[in-house]
Amino acid sequence: MENSWIFVLFGAEVIAAICAAELRNLRWATIAIGIQSLLLVGIICSFAYLSSNHSLYWWAATAFIIKVLLIPWLLWTYTRKMPISEVKPIIGLAVSLPIIAIILVTTYLYTNVYLYPNFVNVLPPVYQGIVQTAGINLSLGLAIFTLGIYILLVRRDTIKIVIGLVVMENGAHLVLVSLAPTLQETAEIGIACNLVITSWLLLYLSSKIFELWKTKDSTSLSELKR
Amino acid sequence: MEVTKIQSILPILVFAVPMALSIPIFFARGRKAFREWLAIGGLVATLIITILIYLNVVATGETKALVWNEWFYVDGLSVLMEFIVAVMGIIIVLYSTKYVAHGEPEAGEGKLSLYYGLLVLFVGIMNWTCATNSLITLYVALELGTLATTYLVAFDWRRRSLEAGYKYLLLITVGVVFSLLGGVLLYSAAGSKGALFLNELGKLAPQIPHTIALVSCGLFIAGFGTKAGLIPFHAWLPDAHAEAPAPISVLLSGVIINMGAYSLVRTVTIFAPLYHEVVLFMAIIGSVTMVLGILMALVQDDLKRLLAFSSVSEMGFIVAGLGLGTYLGIYGGLFHMLNHTIMKGLLFFCSGALLYATGTRKISELRFIPKKMLITSFCFIVAALAIGGMPPFNGFMSELALSLALGQSGLLWVAIVLIVAGFLTLVALIWAGYRIFWTKPNLKLAPANPKPREAKEVPALMWGGMLFLAILCILFGVYSQVLYPLLNSAANGIMAILPVP
């Protein structure tokens, strides 16, 4: 298969996302999210090379600074203020891994088989020579996006929830790479900066909640239901 | 209908000025009067710029827009939103000068500077949302608005407000990402840069394949619907509205959720003339939101939560109208959006006044407010009657417009749902008002709380804005034609962009 090396990146991206989801040590999960973001940068650079679309190199640079450096640094900093062990999730590892596998496979197959014929005509002209690769990237992006939503739904730890948000945004970023590679750099920077500020604010609020009530468990934030 | 575009710097100034003036406010510690005057000055300057835009865009009677290259586009709809933001911003700041200091006596200078600075910055960000012509920048600006207000929602820094702030930020961020995916899908499907520009979306809409158009609309409804507080994406709304300080609740209800509706009319409504599925889906979501929202409001003892659920319901009214894609539907939806800002803003201000005077917002504990709070009780009743759709108040006129629009579009069942929801709203608010202002406390049920009996009217800086909004409720009901040029321009601004089926 041509460009088979990019599929290695795709596979590694999925593994890193699963590690970010399942590692109970939040520092290791932070490292996993940093690696996942680094692989994302690699995928963006690969598309830039394959499609000769040099604006994607700016995307990669932005993603590197924000997703590989800044966000993992923020997560690392806040894991020093709170316990590094994740609050016990709603679903344990033995059940969670098969669910993740089902989510990833189902989303990927649904997108690549059912939706893809609709999308194949909408992939940008710049991907004319690599339609299949771009299509697979699109499906992968949606799968990782769905994985991010899964993390947000079943994880109780407030730091793991931020990690889930980053996984979700990384999935959205992959979708952007497939569908809108000629998007203006300023828009790309705006989207990425929003993620940094959102992550920081969520971590800040989590740390304040922990400081006052000694809990990282988001399900204990239920005073307002009463 | 062609839109005449005029190159102007005003679309930039309308957001750049408040953003720039917010910076010294953040550093104005220890200088209370300077900070508050700067905030008011910044918002008054914003209002003046908005009036200048109005004179160029609306007052001429033609369908015009001010543009700055292709990236900023201010038409009648943008002017309407910018007026709402500027006027409500001024009233909120004036109200806050008394309310915040009273509610947070130990709040440091830094915290108060942050409060006013974020308020003014938020006004700038909202004006940027209304001025931008790019779909992606619309998403970025909406998100920035969420970030700017998170601290304001959690301002009290108590457990409940921290929880509300956390949920507010998380749920809206997750929801709004769907709208980004929808925008990117449209961009890709249209195959040109044009799909990113809001004023070009109508021209490209017929070229977009059916499935992709509907998927994009679904993503926009999920994304912008979260911001607007539509059911089932409303989970953040009651908590944030209830736990935020009262002036911020006004901001949330009168500005933030309106921005969700604004984004929907800029995106989803564009497809309404082409696909009846879009109209039907918006009507269904609107109907469910109208009914469920008010039913949840009926069972609340917390006054602010009651008002919050009522806001959810009112957004259903607005979206049902805007989703029709007809002139009367859009006119009625925008009219109701404006009226809702006034009516709900007034109600939240009243709830803040009651909390200021008595220390509680529970309806069961608020009983028997003495006649010393005449202005607050008058304002509350006016707002309750207005939002319940009673003539001669403004709510009646906008609900009438919506009902006629729905009937005209063949959705009579939605019009009936609207009327029923309106009636339930009237019941909920009048019942709350009756229990608060005309019923003696049942000491067996409510804890003995002497404060309601000792309460006195709030300071003039608080009731002044309330009275102004109450007068608007009456004026826009009795003489609603005063709004016609603005609403007509706003509706025509959207009609000019809509594709011909």
Side-chain angles (χ1 to χ4, degrees):
Chain A
M1 191 187 297
E2 280 187 11
N3 308 321
S4 56
W5 48 273
I6 201 172
F7 295 97
V8 174
L9 289 177
F10 288 159
E13 175 81 13
V14 172
I15 292 169
I18 294 172
C19 289
E22 291 301 331
L23 285 168
R24 297 288 182 263
N25 184 308
L26 293 169
R27 294 233 176 115
W28 283 108
T30 301
I31 293 170
I33 204 74
I35 292 171
Q36 196 219 356
S37 300
L38 188 61
L39 290 164
L40 171 71
V41 171
I43 291 171
I44 297 173
C45 289
S46 304
F47 274 94
Y49 169 72
L50 289 171
S51 61
S52 304
N53 176 15
H54 298 289
S55 65
L56 283 177
Y57 287 118
W58 285 105
W59 281 40
T62 310
F64 181 80
I65 292 168
I66 287 174
K67 296 191 179 204
V68 180
L69 297 179
L70 270 178
I71 289 178
W73 172 74
L74 275 174
L75 285 165
W76 194 270
T77 305
Y78 278 92
T79 54
R80 287 161 75 180
K81 298 181 183 183
M82 293 183 267
I84 61 169
S85 185
E86 183 188 341
V87 171
K88 193 176 170 194
I90 295 169
I91 298 176
L93 180 69
V95 178
S96 184
L97 275 178
I99 292 176
I100 287 176
I102 290 168
I103 288 171
L104 289 172
V105 169
T106 309
T107 314
Y108 179 83
L109 285 177
Y110 179 76
T111 318
N112 213 27
V113 173
Y114 182 70
L115 289 180
Y116 185 69
N118 285 301
F119 294 153
V120 70
N121 295 322
V122 306
L123 287 174
V126 72
Y127 289 148
Q128 212 170 2
I130 50 167
V131 168
Q132 192 187 14
T133 309
I136 290 171
N137 183 60
L138 172 62
S139 306
L140 176 74
L142 287 170
I144 291 179
F145 180 84
T146 313
L147 174 61
I149 294 175
Y150 169 78
I151 297 171
L152 290 170
L153 287 173
V154 305
R155 293 297 190 256
R156 294 156 52 177
D157 191 288
T158 49
I159 294 181
K160 189 51 82 76
I161 284 172
V162 175
I163 289 173
L165 186 66
V166 176
V167 169
M168 198 181 85
E169 292 263 352
N170 282 349
H173 215 129
L174 285 172
V175 172
L176 251 74
V177 168
S178 277
L179 293 182
T182 52
L183 196 65
Q184 266 215 332
E185 291 80 25
T186 47
E188 159 66 13
I189 289 168
I191 294 168
C193 285
N194 265 347
L195 178 61
V196 175
I197 303 172
T198 304
S199 301
W200 169 71
L201 259 178
L202 279 172
L203 288 168
Y204 179 72
L205 286 173
S206 303
S207 71
K208 285 296 161 196
I209 290 169
F210 182 77
E211 210 175 279
L212 292 169
W213 297 292
K214 304 293 176 232
T215 181
K216 286 193 301 163
D217 185 351
S218 61
T219 56
S220 72
L221 300 178
S222 56
E223 183 125 349
L224 293 175
K225 286 181 195 163
R226 293 176 209 156
Chain B
M1 195 189 310
E2 273 299 311
V3 179
T4 309
K5 294 177 195 171
I6 306 166
Q7 283 282 339
S8 170
I9 193 142
L10 289 173
I12 306 272
L13 288 179
V14 80
F15 68 84
V17 163
M19 281 183 173
L21 288 175
S22 70
I23 297 170
I25 298 174
F26 288 117
F27 299 104
R29 298 177 185 202
R31 301 168 73 181
K32 175 176 179 284
F34 171 73
R35 170 180 61 220
E36 288 159 7
W37 277 113
L38 193 55
I40 293 166
L43 295 176
V44 168
T46 307
L47 182 60
I48 291 170
I49 296 169
T50 307
I51 292 170
L52 289 173
I53 296 175
Y54 173 89
L55 293 172
N56 280 281
V57 171
V58 177
T60 58
E62 298 162 36
T63 309
K64 284 184 176 174
L66 296 185
V67 299
W68 178 263
N69 295 325
E70 50 190 2
W71 294 102
F72 296 97
Y73 180 90
V74 174
D75 60 3
L77 177 58
S78 304
V79 175
L80 171 67
M81 301 306 296
E82 285 163 7
F83 259 124
I84 289 174
V85 171
V87 171
M88 293 309 292
I90 292 169
I91 300 173
I92 286 168
V93 167
L94 288 171
Y95 189 97
S96 297
T97 54
K98 289 295 176 189
Y99 184 87
V100 173
H102 182 266
E104 291 281 310
E106 65 274 6
E109 286 295 312
K111 200 172 175 187
L112 289 171
S113 294
L114 204 50
Y115 177 90
Y116 288 104
L118 284 171
L119 256 180
V120 178
L121 179 66
F122 173 76
V123 166
I125 293 171
M126 288 300 101
N127 283 346
W128 181 31
T129 310
C130 301
T132 187
N133 195 25
S134 161
L135 190 49
I136 302 298
T137 314
L138 178 69
Y139 160 79
V140 171
L142 277 180
E143 259 304 283
L144 275 178
T146 307
L147 297 172
T149 44
T150 298
Y151 178 82
L152 296 175
V153 168
F155 186 73
D156 288 344
W157 227 240
R158 296 187 190 110
R159 179 172 186 140
R160 294 171 69 96
S161 45
L162 276 175
E163 182 184 330
Y166 181 87
K167 283 181 184 173
Y168 169 70
L169 179 58
L170 182 64
L171 293 175
I172 291 192
T173 301
V174 171
V176 171
V177 166
F178 286 91
S179 61
L180 174 65
L181 292 180
V184 165
L185 198 53
L186 274 187
Y187 171 79
S188 184
S192 73
K193 219 163 126 186
L196 274 186
F197 294 122
L198 297 169
N199 68 330
E200 301 288 325
L201 205 50
K203 286 181 199 160
L204 295 164
Q207 300 165 21
I208 295 170
H210 178 257
T211 309
I212 289 174
L214 293 184
V215 169
S216 298
C217 286
L219 290 168
F220 284 138
I221 290 170
F224 297 136
T226 304
K227 192 78 178 177
L230 300 178
I231 287 174
F233 313 111
H234 69 290
W236 63 272
L237 196 151
D239 298 340
H241 278 61
E243 300 307 323
I248 305 304
S249 302
V250 174
L251 197 73
L252 290 169
S253 213
V255 177
I256 290 176
I257 59 177
N258 282 348
M259 286 301 161
Y262 168 84
S263 306
L264 283 170
V265 80
R266 286 287 190 200
T267 51
V268 178
T269 303
I270 303 299
F271 292 91
L274 299 175
Y275 305 108
H276 190 66
E277 297 97 314
V278 171
V279 176
L280 199 55
F281 192 58
M282 290 279 269
I284 292 170
I285 285 226
S287 306
V288 170
T289 303
M290 279 185 233
V291 173
L292 286 183
I294 198 59
L295 286 177
M296 287 191 273
L298 280 166
V299 299
Q300 300 299 321
D301 185 38
D302 184 327
L303 179 59
K304 288 182 81 181
R305 279 185 89 82
L306 186 157
L307 297 177
F309 279 111
S310 168
S311 291
V312 170
S313 178
E314 295 298 318
M315 289 314 293
F317 285 56
I318 293 166
V319 156
L322 295 177
L324 293 174
T326 60
Y327 173 84
L328 191 55
I330 295 170
Y331 188 101
L334 295 176
F335 192 7
H336 201 67
M337 186 195 295
L338 173 64
N339 284 340
H340 175 249
T341 300
I342 297 167
M343 300 180 298
K344 192 53 59 62
L346 180 53
L347 283 166
F348 271 115
F349 278 139
C350 290
S351 73
L354 290 166
L355 184 60
Y356 181 101
T358 66
T360 183
R361 59 184 205 232
K362 288 203 174 297
I363 297 170
S364 54
E365 293 176 12
L366 276 168
R367 296 188 180 202
F368 191 58
I369 300 292
K371 292 172 187 171
K372 288 181 184 172
M373 289 193 82
L374 263 179
I375 298 176
T376 301
S377 48
F378 168 74
C379 290
F380 189 97
I381 296 305
V382 164
L385 289 171
I387 206 168
M390 291 297 286
F393 300 103
N394 54 346
F396 169 75
M397 297 305 292
S398 54
E399 287 181 26
L400 179 64
L402 283 171
S403 303
L404 289 173
L406 288 163
Q408 227 175 49
S409 298
L411 292 171
L412 197 57
W413 62 274
V414 184
I416 294 169
V417 170
L418 187 148
I419 293 166
V420 169
F423 175 71
L424 289 173
T425 305
L426 181 68
V427 166
L429 272 302
I430 291 296
W431 176 234
Y434 175 76
R435 282 182 291 163
I436 293 169
F437 298 111
W438 282 295
T439 310
K440 289 186 182 173
N442 184 339
L443 291 174
K444 289 178 191 171
L445 293 174
N449 181 355
K451 285 189 97 177
R453 299 190 198 98
E454 299 158 4
K456 56 179 184 174
E457 192 56 81
V458 293
L461 277 174
M462 291 174 67
W463 64 251
M466 288 158 57
L467 210 50
F468 173 70
L469 293 177
I471 291 169
L472 289 184
C473 284
I474 300 168
L475 174 68
F476 292 159
V478 170
Y479 194 63
S480 49
Q481 51 264 52
V482 72
L483 289 172
Y484 176 77
L486 181 57
L487 291 172
N488 178 57
S489 176
N492 278 336
I494 294 298
M495 293 303 295
I497 296 171
L498 290 185
V500 178

